[in-house]
Amino acid sequence: MSTQTVELGASRSGEPPRSLEAPSLRIGERIIKALLWSAATLSVLVTTGIVVSLLIPSIAFFQQVPLWEFLTGTVWAPAFANPSYGVLPIVVGTLTVVFFATLVAVPVGLSSAIYLSEYASPRVRRIVKPILEVLEGLPTVAIGLFAFAVLTPLIRQLTPFLPWTGPFSIGVAGITVGLLIIPLVSSVSDDAMRSVPADLRQGAYAMGATKYEVALKVIVPAAISGIIAAFVLGISRAIGETMVVLLVAGAGSPVLSFDPTKGTQTMTAYIGSTATGDIAQGTITYDSIFAVGVLLFLMTLAMNILAIRLVKKYREVYD
Amino acid sequence: MTRTRGAAIAATTIAGALLLAACGGSSSSDSSSASSDLTGSILIDGSSTVGPATEIAAELFMAQNPGVAVTVAVSGTSGGFEKFCLGETDGNDASRLIKEEEIIKCDEAGITYDNITVANDALTVLVNAAAPVECLTVAQLNAIWGDGSTISTWGEIPDLDVPADFASTPLALYGPGTDSGTFDFFTEAINGEEGSIRIDYTSIGEDDNAAVTAVTGDVGAMGYVPFSFYQEAGDAVKGIAVDGGNGCAEPTAENVQDGSYSPLGRALYVYASGTALQKPETVAFFDFYINNSAQIAEIGGYIGLTPAQVTEQLAKVASLAGQ
Amino acid sequence: MSDSSDKPNLSDRVAMPARTRVAVGGAREVTEAMFSSVDRAKKIRGTIIAGVLLLGLSVALIAVTAMVVWAFIAGWSRLSINLFTNVPSVVNPDNAGYRTAILGTLYIIGGVIVLIVPLGVGAAIYLEQFANPANRFNRFIDLNIQNLAGVPSIVFGILGLAFIVRGPLDLGFVAAAGSLTLALLVLPTVILASREALRAVPSSIRDGSLALGATVWQAVSRQVLPAALPGILTGVILAVSRAIGEAAPLLLVGAVTFVTFNPSFFEGGYSTLPTMIYSYASRPQESLQTLAAAGVVVMLVLLIMINSVAIYLRNRFERTW
């Protein structure tokens, strides 16, 4: 008998050592693995399609408009007689929406999730969670109409000290988008927290920790990767939201504005309204849609790379 | 929820869906006009300004011709032209004329077409009902809306008599987005060039209802909307008369039809393709649309065709169909 | 070591790594907690925190309730069973119904579910259980999927028009094309949520199964997947909820806003509730605005029915570790 490391089967008549896994993948196993692989690679196909359909017309665009002017100009008016292609106003619009959306969705979503997973009884959970999911399913058209008709006047009444003019507001649009993504953040965080192994929870209680200590100091850190995934999903959704911002923020004016009480256009609103509007295809104005689309794509890419790094740093694996 | 309750809801959903599908065969229209033998399908896409009129036409037409299936989509004038020039649709609703780039595409694909005027429209300038102004000239409108304009209060509008207490009211301007045909038309008519407009007006985006809301809520606001929105706007706003050189003309159907409401009266089109007009049902539909424009306009808030327009458009359809 | 009540600074005496210091500090806290009652400050803090959390949850619930109530009030005059069984009408809005739109929505959502469950869960299983995480291609797919979740829906409309309606798939303006476009839109959500669900299953489950001689697929399909089912169902619910409410991409891909005959998958025109609501809401006529609000109520009813099925399944499979 050899003195190698112990391996099953090695002791018998010099057969090659066998691993613990089942012997070489069966045909069925291979097919399944191939099928699953192709499901995953479908995403690459989709991205390629998106990049191709966006990139080609935007190349035509950038041949006419210098990249520098696009990225640093502060007036976005591609359809004016005197066109101006500085993209910053709509970028700021998008970022304003994301800012307010995060401001609303992160605390509310996270606290809903913590409450539902740690404090609420199973019966309360079973009733409340579906109610939140209804919010997710309402058409964004309806939520936008509601925000325009009800939420904006309400917030205007609550904050008379702000210089409100006109019926549009990008700040309110951001808040509405925040409300929209609460179920997303809450559901995914809640599932993440529920999946933390029970012995961690029980151990903490056994050590005398109070409920809030368990929730905030044990469970949340343990589930942080899922919670960050929930945030990233929510913020991605906020960046990409089109209908609500169209209805609640109007399109503002072409100049750069940081004022949350006024209407401003976001990148998605611009793409949405121009794609379904009356501007002729094949013109440089229409091609600006694709340039904005490419910029949007790159922005979300940067954010996601950052988020993946964050998750890797803080993820804990139990068991 | 408990298993039984959940299962009950699931069963209800499935049953409901099946029931709906089963009810599918019967039509629930209650008008029983003379039915014709025409069959076929027609797809019309395009502008969201003209779309509602086409929908009304489609519904009325199908009441008399139940064998024809007319569907109307709203991808926007340019999205619609793209599909039209690929032969994917039979007609394109358009609030503007076809543009250079689109003409090239249609020619490349060998699509023959013509623009059929199906209705008239009056671009109406709205102000709050309490604003002390009844009529503005084109020159005044240009001074207000033109590129480079710095007018910010009502008192600064040239040649306009406003009471002293109103002169300092800030002028808040609302208009549709730059992607809209209404925007193109207004800027060309008032400011001389498509897309030429002052940079600090507030764009209301997609929904013209928002302009009405904005003007209703602010005594110093001014906006412009298609006629149907003015019709339904109620008493809190008023449409001012426009003086295009021939005296103040109010935004009414008569003034548009006889040409006195200028330059803000416009035509709304449906582009029809020669291929589509080879089908008898399509010819019938367009003829119906033109002949019944008064009724359609009444329902949808548009302005009907004049008798001269009716004759002219019918001739266009006939000649395109005869090709 | 002195046993005075003030805490000695341990690092003065003994050089120890941070972890040990934390562990010792924790053990001290725990012992103190065990032998003394929870002090008042902690109790108050606990109540306040619980209150804050409840407040957060209430904000969300109030938002939902407000929207539902608004839809009911705005659409009140049109609410009746007619809304569900009549065909659309613009000539006679008081008699109009949403039947064709409801069927269109059901068809589209059915198609979406049929596509995203195998594709989404399959991709998640591959990435979590089969793929080598160090492989660069797999990391690329990771990033890819996460990025797709943030692409605005209108871009998927453009994509669908170019590649599904025309292009290689060439399906035309049919419901199947709409389903496929929306499926691609929500697929990342399903994949990401499923991955988190699969990750949360303790690996002892999988390893134990493998140790007993199962193949990877057997371990996954018989042990890990059932355990991860609640999280996967959440992902599906969220995805379906998103898809059911989308209007803009469908408008580009060929959904019509006026159709009076029932839809089918591969032929002819189709419309969905959100596209019609959007179309009616931007019209000036008051009766159509009311109809739009009534349409929101119809959507709610539909949504509750569809979600109930999934929620029932989720509750049935829920378990804790």
Side-chain angles (χ1 to χ4, degrees):
Chain A
M1 195 156 51
S2 69
T3 49
Q4 294 164 349
T5 51
V6 175
E7 285 153 345
L8 288 179
S11 54
R12 298 212 189 159
S13 58
E15 278 174 23
R18 298 192 308 175
S19 76
L20 280 174
E21 280 203 10
S24 63
L25 294 176
R26 310 191 297 213
I27 301 289
E29 190 91 356
R30 280 207 189 135
I31 293 181
I32 289 177
K33 191 170 175 188
L35 281 174
L36 296 178
W37 178 89
S38 46
T41 359
L42 179 67
S43 71
V44 178
L45 266 182
V46 173
T47 307
T48 320
I50 291 179
V51 168
V52 163
S53 46
L54 288 182
L55 210 53
I56 296 179
S58 50
I59 290 178
F61 176 81
F62 282 116
Q63 280 169 345
Q64 307 248 5
V65 176
L67 187 62
W68 185 245
E69 178 190 335
F70 181 71
L71 289 178
T72 59
T74 57
V75 178
W76 179 252
F80 274 19
N82 241 342
S84 174
Y85 297 100
V87 82
L88 283 183
I90 54 178
V91 170
V92 167
T94 303
L95 292 177
T96 313
V97 165
V98 170
F99 173 72
F100 282 97
T102 318
L103 208 60
V104 167
V106 165
V108 175
L110 195 54
S111 47
S112 304
I114 296 177
Y115 190 86
L116 281 177
S117 82
E118 301 303 315
Y119 284 76
S121 69
R123 213 186 55 181
V124 168
R125 208 180 115 81
R126 278 180 197 194
I127 296 177
V128 168
K129 202 163 159 165
I131 295 179
L132 284 183
E133 278 157 0
V134 164
L135 182 56
E136 175 85 10
L138 282 176
T140 46
V141 175
I143 296 179
L145 291 172
F146 167 78
F148 185 72
V150 175
L151 208 57
T152 311
L154 183 68
I155 294 184
R156 288 177 69 164
Q157 278 191 349
L158 290 177
T159 56
F161 44 86
L162 291 174
W164 295 98
T165 50
F168 297 107
S169 160
I170 187 103
V172 177
I175 294 176
T176 313
V177 173
L179 289 177
L180 181 63
I181 62 176
I182 286 174
L184 196 60
V185 172
S186 163
S187 263
V188 179
S189 306
D190 170 61
D191 283 340
M193 285 190 277
R194 300 269 300 170
S195 311
V196 171
D199 31 354
L200 263 163
R201 219 180 250 118
Q202 289 157 2
Y205 280 125
M207 303 273 253
T210 57
K211 206 163 204 177
Y212 85 87
E213 282 173 334
V214 171
L216 297 179
K217 298 190 187 178
V218 177
I219 302 294
V220 168
I224 200 77
S225 109
I227 293 177
I228 292 185
F231 288 168
V232 170
L233 213 53
I235 293 179
S236 292
R237 176 82 199 269
I239 291 181
E241 178 52 47
T242 310
M243 198 60 85
V244 169
V245 289
L246 268 176
L247 291 172
V248 183
S253 77
V255 289
L256 186 56
S257 155
F258 290 96
D259 187 350
T261 60
K262 299 213 174 3
T264 314
Q265 202 171 37
T266 63
M267 295 194 277
T268 47
Y270 176 72
I271 297 177
S273 59
T274 312
T276 54
D278 297 342
I279 294 184
Q281 294 198 356
T283 56
I284 180 179
T285 316
Y286 194 81
D287 288 340
S288 62
I289 298 181
F290 302 99
V292 173
V294 169
L295 182 61
L296 200 56
F297 195 76
L298 291 174
M299 277 173 63
T300 47
L301 189 65
M303 188 201 68
N304 280 305
I305 292 181
L306 190 68
I308 288 184
R309 293 253 167 90
L310 263 178
V311 169
K312 273 212 173 70
K313 197 169 152 201
Y314 288 108
R315 191 174 147 208
E316 313 229 3
V317 185
Y318 291 102
D319 195 289
Chain B
M1 62 183 75
T2 62
R3 224 185 260 205
T4 34
R5 195 155 25 122
I9 294 186
T12 319
T13 313
I14 301 176
L18 287 176
L19 201 63
L20 268 183
C23 288
S26 57
S27 151
S28 57
S29 73
D30 48 5
S31 59
S32 49
S33 327
S35 59
S36 70
D37 302 322
L38 285 175
T39 59
S41 71
I42 304 175
L43 173 60
I44 303 196
D45 199 341
S47 157
S48 53
T49 310
V50 189
T54 310
E55 285 185 12
I56 298 171
E59 187 173 339
L60 294 173
F61 179 73
M62 286 197 286
Q64 293 188 359
N65 300 277
V68 186
V70 186
T71 49
V72 181
V74 176
S75 320
T77 309
S78 48
F81 267 126
E82 194 227 356
K83 296 176 181 163
F84 182 72
C85 289
L86 286 173
E88 292 169 350
T89 58
D90 298 311
N92 193 42
D93 295 327
S95 54
R96 59 160 171 83
L97 293 169
I98 193 172
K99 292 217 165 124
E100 204 44 65
E101 297 80 8
E102 293 157 343
I103 296 177
I104 295 175
K105 282 220 192 95
C106 269
D107 289 341
E108 274 174 13
I111 309 266
T112 55
Y113 57 84
D114 202 356
N115 62 327
I116 317 287
T117 307
V118 292
N120 293 309
D121 188 21
L123 232 61
T124 311
V125 180
L126 292 179
V127 297
N128 193 292
V133 64
E134 303 297 327
C135 176
L136 288 174
T137 64
V138 173
Q140 285 172 315
L141 283 172
N142 184 19
I144 296 170
W145 289 90
D147 191 6
S149 165
T150 53
I151 294 180
S152 58
T153 62
W154 283 81
E156 294 172 36
I157 301 176
D159 303 324
L160 186 66
D161 287 321
V162 288
D165 56 352
F166 198 75
S168 54
T169 313
L171 183 62
L173 296 174
Y174 297 94
T178 56
D179 59 285
S180 143
T182 314
F183 169 81
D184 284 342
F185 185 82
F186 185 82
T187 47
E188 173 142 30
I190 298 291
N191 296 333
E193 188 188 355
E194 225 176 67
S196 167
I197 196 170
R198 63 189 292 171
I199 217 168
D200 56 351
Y201 83 101
T202 304
S203 162
I204 55 153
E206 293 291 282
D207 186 1
D208 288 303
N209 284 311
V212 177
T213 312
V215 174
T216 308
D218 180 0
V219 74
M222 180 190 293
Y224 61 93
V225 293
F227 190 62
S228 51
F229 288 88
Y230 166 55
Q231 289 284 74
E232 302 284 333
D235 299 324
V237 300
K238 60 185 178 189
I240 59 175
V242 174
D243 181 353
N246 294 326
C248 291
E250 305 228 317
T252 62
E254 297 74 35
N255 285 347
V256 171
Q257 281 174 336
D258 65 27
S260 55
Y261 185 73
S262 80
L264 292 180
R266 65 172 174 174
L268 298 175
Y269 310 104
V270 180
Y271 277 76
S273 76
T275 339
L277 285 177
Q278 300 311 309
K279 300 188 284 182
E281 64 268 20
T282 319
V283 178
F285 175 68
F286 275 96
D287 285 342
F288 180 89
Y289 202 158
I290 298 167
N291 281 321
N292 291 287
S293 78
Q295 184 189 12
I296 295 169
E298 171 81 38
I299 299 174
Y302 299 90
I303 298 172
L305 298 173
T306 62
Q309 280 176 312
V310 170
T311 327
E312 189 186 337
Q313 303 309 316
L314 284 174
K316 274 193 192 174
V317 172
S319 89
L320 199 55
Q323 284 177 352
Chain C
M1 200 183 321
S2 72
D3 52 1
S4 62
S5 54
D6 58 317
K7 306 180 201 297
N9 193 341
L10 294 171
S11 56
D12 285 349
R13 318 229 179 160
V14 179
M16 58 174 87
R19 272 178 102 170
T20 318
R21 221 178 303 144
V22 168
V24 168
R28 173 189 306 276
E29 285 249 7
V30 162
T31 324
E32 281 176 0
M34 277 205 292
F35 291 112
S36 62
S37 62
V38 180
D39 61 29
R40 284 198 63 206
K42 255 199 194 172
K43 261 207 183 117
I44 294 178
R45 212 178 336 158
T47 327
I48 292 180
I49 289 188
V52 166
L53 294 178
L54 192 54
L55 185 66
L57 181 60
S58 321
V59 168
L61 291 177
I62 290 175
V64 181
T65 324
M67 272 183 235
V68 173
V69 166
W70 171 78
F72 266 94
I73 293 179
W76 183 248
S77 55
R78 283 289 300 122
L79 292 180
S80 71
I81 196 71
N82 275 1
L83 213 50
F84 291 82
T85 54
N86 283 1
V87 287
S89 163
V90 276
V91 173
N92 200 356
D94 296 325
N95 262 345
Y98 279 105
R99 192 180 80 212
T100 50
I102 294 174
L103 286 173
T105 303
L106 287 175
Y107 273 65
I108 298 269
I109 291 304
V112 168
I113 294 179
V114 160
L115 287 168
I116 61 175
V117 169
L119 285 176
V121 179
I125 292 177
Y126 177 78
L127 290 168
E128 280 304 305
Q129 304 288 346
F130 284 90
N132 178 2
N135 183 344
R136 288 196 71 185
F137 185 64
N138 290 325
R139 284 210 308 241
F140 173 67
I141 294 186
D142 241 350
L143 179 61
N144 214 359
I145 291 176
Q146 212 168 315
N147 202 31
L148 282 176
V151 175
S153 49
I154 196 96
V155 173
F156 280 94
I158 297 176
L159 180 75
L161 188 60
F163 293 104
I164 300 178
V165 170
R166 303 175 183 146
L169 287 179
D170 207 14
L171 288 177
F173 299 134
V174 294
S179 278
L180 200 48
T181 309
L182 287 184
L184 290 179
L185 172 66
V186 296
L187 204 53
T189 307
V190 178
I191 296 179
L192 287 171
S194 305
R195 287 192 70 178
E196 284 304 320
L198 288 168
R199 246 178 232 172
V201 175
S203 56
S204 55
I205 304 287
R206 178 177 183 251
D207 294 341
S209 184
L210 290 175
L212 291 173
T215 62
V216 178
W217 173 245
Q218 283 172 335
V220 167
S221 62
R222 297 184 198 194
Q223 296 296 333
V224 179
L225 207 49
L229 210 50
I232 293 178
L233 280 171
T234 299
V236 172
I237 291 175
L238 290 173
V240 167
S241 300
R242 170 104 192 260
I244 209 174
E246 283 292 338
L250 286 180
L251 282 173
L252 281 185
V253 156
V256 300
T257 55
F258 184 75
V259 59
T260 51
F261 52 88
N262 288 351
S264 75
F265 254 119
F266 289 101
E267 285 187 19
Y270 65 99
S271 70
T272 61
L273 281 167
T275 49
M276 300 206 66
I277 293 174
Y278 178 53
S279 176
Y280 289 157
S282 47
R283 311 255 179 117
Q285 288 85 2
E286 173 111 29
S287 51
L288 289 173
Q289 301 260 342
T290 314
L291 196 56
V296 178
V297 176
V298 172
M299 277 228 65
L300 275 171
V301 172
L302 210 62
L303 199 63
I304 291 176
M305 280 188 185
I306 294 180
N307 274 1
S308 306
V309 177
I311 289 169
Y312 155 70
L313 283 173
R314 180 172 69 190
N315 284 346
R316 196 170 150 230
F317 286 107
E318 190 127 43
R319 70 173 95 173
T320 51
W321 302 107

